[in-house]
Amino acid sequence: MEGPKAPKDPTKKRKSFYIMRGKSVAGSPQADGRGVQFLYMNDGRMLSSARLVGGIADEEMLKLLETTEGFRRLVHSIGVTVEADDRELTADFCLQMYGHRDVYGSGTTLRLPVQANGMEHILELENCAWSDDDDIPGQIRFEFPCAGALATVAVRFYLRDGFDAPEVEEEEPVDFDSPLYRRMVDRATVQTGNNARLKRAIDKARRGEDVTVAFIGGSITQGAGAIPINSECYAYRTFCGFCELTGRGLSDNVHYVKAGVGGTPSELGMIRYETDVLDDGKVTPDVVVVEFAVNDEGDETRGECYDSLVRKILGAENRPAVILLFAVFANDFNLQERLSPVGRAYDLPMVSVRDAVVEQFYQKPGEGRVVSKNQFFYDSYHPTNTGHRIMADGLLRLLQAVDVQDADEDTLDPARVQPPLGGAFAEVRLLDRRHPLEGAAIDCGGFVHVDGDTQAVERNMDLAGTREFPDNWMYRGGAAEGGRPFVMDITCESLLLVYKDSADRQVGCAEVWVDGEKVLVVDPHVIGWNHCNALICFRERERKKYHVEVRMAPGQEDRDFSILGWGVVQGKQILERDGK
């Protein structure tokens, strides 16, 4: 191939920093057949990426990334690199600004087609048309022509004159076979606890008996940051390691359940345990890994829901083993101090990712650092494939330690242990259209519809996504049913509402009334994305029949609202049946 006769001098590159570098992406299936990787940049995520990946410490520069106006003052152009096995593949890089009036509809979306050949493509912002309604940088998308496409991407911001950025530091690959790595993973074991139940599950698998290993938690358990999300997540890696440890390989007798739901705490986890893990009684887990240490900041009870979930699992007739897993965010945050008393009270195995990795993050390469934050974190909340592997290795190190120990006597009876954080919700059950409860009479009023657009998650090995709480009650503003409330008479002692959060402005606020008293005003826009949430209506009251109504808030009758279900604690027995 003949080149140009007189090539131009290269343009001097501006100062720049990466917000993504060597990041794995995958095209999740869309209804139109395309594959899209969504990477959210709001809620401080872009700032966190600038710190972690780009090494930006200048707080004034970071503050500019909080708004579209500041972003345009700071960033001159965007460099995007996509690399895939199919070098002819073209992906569209999209940077979407969220709008003031309509979060997803009124802001600018910048778009750049990028061939997946490893060459950097440049998007100059001066050539872009901008919306007057731009608010904040909202999300980055890589859009592929077909689902399932895998690629490695890099995104860097080239700066306007007057701004500076540190030189990019090259990172050594993580040496998973080194003594330093093994010592780091060893630190993840907080305690092996009473090993009886765990050893029993390992021995059952070795004998070829049916064993189920289950995982429940938030988005990290769902697999967020793992590419592909189903096979590279810590849960599946741990499951494969369990199979290898027991000498069975991926055989038919060892079964896998993954029940992670992004953005949700144990307050919701305790309600969906029967459906998402037990599959309404079809599944009996032998080992359950519980991962809510970075999600439970949103738990109203500050730990009692977590304690209740653990008690619920431990109290099953087959006496399953429970492992408590404490994940970590990029700012070194988790709730280990709050939640670990549960593990100590019941003498459970506990694994801390924070204990393993955080201290070494701040050591220099060659002087103790095994993995950098950039290598461990996909964004400010979720691990990369490397991070998921480290989490799995921490769990597997615990299993290996337990496997060589002498068996303890299984003395654990949760009923005889005083719950350290409270166990008021240990008997909570889900009530929805498919799961009726004795002692509950419902007139759904204007909530006659079913919301088919609830939060979807990748369960088990699925990539397509399964809807959470599909058997719901939805109110549609302006429908023929008018403003009639949802009415329920129910015998119980505690009650939680599960509802749908949304960024859609057509969704409105609702009120919950109990025996004529307003107990909740529910605003679905507080969290601001399609998401399921739970709130306590009342707790530990006298066990009797209560009259519950859900009404649209005054002036909101023309809006929509979705009751996804109810969490109900009825106690040991129902004292009133059918009003008698």
Side-chain angles (χ1 to χ4, degrees):
M1 180 183 295
E2 188 175 333
K5 299 298 182 184
K8 294 181 179 179
D9 290 335
T11 302
K12 183 179 179 181
K13 285 201 170 183
R14 295 174 171 270
K15 291 285 189 177
S16 66
F17 65 89
Y18 285 95
I19 62 165
M20 300 177 194
R21 188 176 179 211
K23 181 181 286 289
S24 298
V25 298
S28 297
Q30 306 299 302
D32 59 6
R34 295 178 306 138
V36 179
Q37 174 76 65
F38 296 89
L39 301 160
Y40 295 98
M41 294 287 109
N42 58 332
D43 295 334
R45 293 178 177 92
M46 182 174 283
L47 279 68
S48 178
S49 294
R51 288 190 182 98
L52 290 177
V53 186
I56 301 299
D58 186 321
E59 292 298 325
E60 292 301 316
M61 286 177 60
L62 292 168
K63 189 170 182 59
L64 290 175
L65 294 173
E66 293 179 344
T67 65
T68 303
E69 179 183 4
F71 178 87
R72 293 178 63 183
R73 283 177 52 201
L74 177 68
V75 180
H76 172 273
S77 49
I78 304 173
V80 183
T81 305
V82 178
E83 204 165 356
D85 290 340
D86 180 3
R87 297 292 193 250
E88 300 302 315
L89 178 72
T90 296
D92 276 6
F93 164 82
C94 302
L95 173 56
Q96 180 178 354
M97 302 294 165
Y98 288 166
H100 288 281
R101 294 191 310 271
D102 179 351
V103 173
Y104 299 121
S106 62
T108 300
T109 296
L110 307 177
R111 184 176 294 270
L112 178 69
V114 181
Q115 189 175 346
N117 59 6
M119 180 180 293
E120 185 178 61
H121 292 59
I122 303 294
L123 176 65
E124 295 194 3
L125 302 191
E126 294 293 343
N127 299 327
C128 300
W130 296 85
S131 167
D132 293 335
D133 197 51
D134 286 333
D135 183 12
I136 62 172
Q139 63 177 256
I140 286 173
R141 300 190 300 275
F142 285 90
E143 301 181 354
F144 298 93
C146 59
L150 302 176
T152 302
V153 302
V155 177
R156 71 165 136 181
F157 294 158
Y158 288 99
L159 303 177
R160 293 189 179 277
D161 295 341
F163 294 102
D164 198 5
E167 292 296 323
V168 175
E169 179 182 323
E170 296 297 328
E171 294 181 314
E172 291 292 325
V174 177
D175 184 354
F176 296 103
D177 297 318
S178 69
L180 272 178
Y181 180 83
R182 290 193 291 273
R183 285 199 292 273
M184 180 187 75
V185 171
D186 284 340
R187 291 196 296 270
T189 299
V190 178
Q191 66 178 36
T192 56
N194 185 298
N195 66 27
R197 296 187 178 196
L198 201 47
K199 285 185 75 71
R200 184 164 62 242
I202 293 170
D203 291 343
K204 279 181 65 179
R206 282 206 176 106
R207 293 194 299 267
E209 299 176 34
D210 280 335
V211 169
T212 297
V213 182
F215 302 80
I216 185 169
S219 56
I220 295 176
T221 296
Q222 186 179 337
I227 305 295
I229 194 171
N230 60 344
S231 60
E232 292 296 325
C233 63
Y234 88 83
Y236 188 67
R237 281 182 167 274
T238 303
F239 168 74
C240 292
F242 179 90
C243 294
E244 183 178 346
L245 177 69
T246 60
R248 305 299 301 182
L250 295 177
S251 55
D252 292 339
N253 71 299
V254 185
H255 311 285
Y256 171 63
V257 174
K258 182 185 71 168
V261 177
T264 64
S266 54
E267 188 168 354
L268 189 74
M270 67 182 186
I271 297 172
R272 62 183 181 82
Y273 181 73
E274 274 82 10
T275 54
D276 291 5
V277 175
L278 303 186
D279 193 12
D280 296 325
K282 300 183 187 71
V283 172
T284 304
D286 298 89
V287 180
V288 182
V289 177
V290 178
E291 179 271 315
F292 283 110
V294 290
N295 282 64
D296 264 14
E297 188 65 26
D299 167 24
E300 298 175 90
T301 67
R302 301 186 65 80
E304 184 164 13
C305 291
Y306 183 86
D307 196 344
S308 297
L309 171 61
V310 172
R311 289 180 72 86
K312 175 197 286 275
I313 302 168
L314 290 171
E317 288 185 10
N318 70 310
R319 303 178 72 83
V322 173
I323 301 173
L324 303 185
L325 174 62
F326 306 126
V328 68
F329 281 161
N331 63 357
D332 306 336
F333 166 85
N334 73 10
L335 292 169
Q336 187 170 329
E337 281 72 27
R338 177 196 292 180
L339 303 179
S340 58
V342 174
R344 288 194 289 273
Y346 304 110
D347 200 14
L348 301 178
M350 294 192 284
V351 171
S352 170
V353 185
R354 190 189 71 182
D355 289 359
V357 300
V358 166
E359 182 180 348
Q360 62 85 49
F361 281 151
Y362 299 99
Q363 297 173 353
K364 294 180 180 179
E367 297 179 10
R369 184 196 293 174
V370 179
V371 58
S372 70
K373 281 194 174 185
N374 179 47
Q375 290 169 315
F376 186 92
F377 288 103
Y378 193 85
D379 56 21
S380 53
Y381 305 117
H382 306 110
T384 59
N385 284 1
T386 293
H388 276 278
R389 174 172 177 175
I390 291 168
M391 291 181 68
D393 285 349
L395 286 165
L396 292 172
R397 191 59 54 87
L398 171 83
L399 291 173
Q400 291 161 0
V402 166
D403 190 35
V404 298
Q405 291 175 344
D406 293 333
D408 295 327
E409 182 183 355
D410 185 1
T411 56
L412 174 58
D413 179 359
R416 296 179 178 275
V417 178
Q418 181 69 27
L421 304 181
F425 302 100
E427 297 175 25
V428 70
R429 296 172 65 190
L430 171 65
L431 167 62
D432 63 11
R433 289 182 187 267
R434 187 163 61 93
H435 302 90
L437 291 179
E438 186 179 2
I442 293 173
D443 175 359
C444 60
F447 292 71
V448 297
H449 304 280
V450 175
D451 190 339
D453 185 31
T454 58
Q455 184 178 3
V457 300
E458 298 86 353
R459 296 253 191 93
N460 306 334
M461 293 303 292
D462 178 39
L463 281 173
T466 300
R467 293 288 173 191
E468 288 290 305
F469 300 98
D471 304 293
N472 53 69
W473 297 274
M474 182 182 184
Y475 176 95
R476 286 182 178 162
E481 301 80 21
R484 293 174 56 214
F486 177 98
V487 178
M488 176 171 65
D489 291 300
I490 184 166
T491 300
C492 62
E493 57 189 38
S494 299
L495 183 70
L496 299 94
L497 169 70
V498 184
Y499 67 96
K500 173 183 169 179
D501 283 309
S502 177
D504 187 348
R505 292 298 160 187
Q506 177 56 31
V507 175
C509 299
E511 299 174 344
V512 181
W513 292 72
V514 177
D515 290 347
E517 175 191 1
K518 183 166 62 176
V519 297
L520 280 179
V521 177
V522 184
D523 182 356
H525 300 117
V526 171
I527 295 177
W529 56 288
N530 189 349
H531 167 268
C532 39
N533 202 9
L535 288 174
I536 297 171
C537 301
F538 61 85
R539 53 169 296 169
E540 295 184 284
R541 291 190 179 183
E542 177 188 357
R543 189 186 298 111
K544 67 172 190 174
K545 184 166 287 186
Y546 293 92
H547 182 76
V548 180
E549 293 189 14
V550 180
R551 312 170 186 170
M552 296 305 295
Q556 304 272 302
E557 293 85 0
D558 61 341
R559 304 289 183 88
D560 302 342
F561 188 86
S562 296
I563 300 171
L564 301 183
W566 300 89
V568 183
V569 180
Q570 293 185 304
K572 295 295 183 184
Q573 58 182 342
I574 299 175
L575 297 183
E576 296 180 20
R577 298 181 187 273
D578 302 323
K580 297 179 182 179

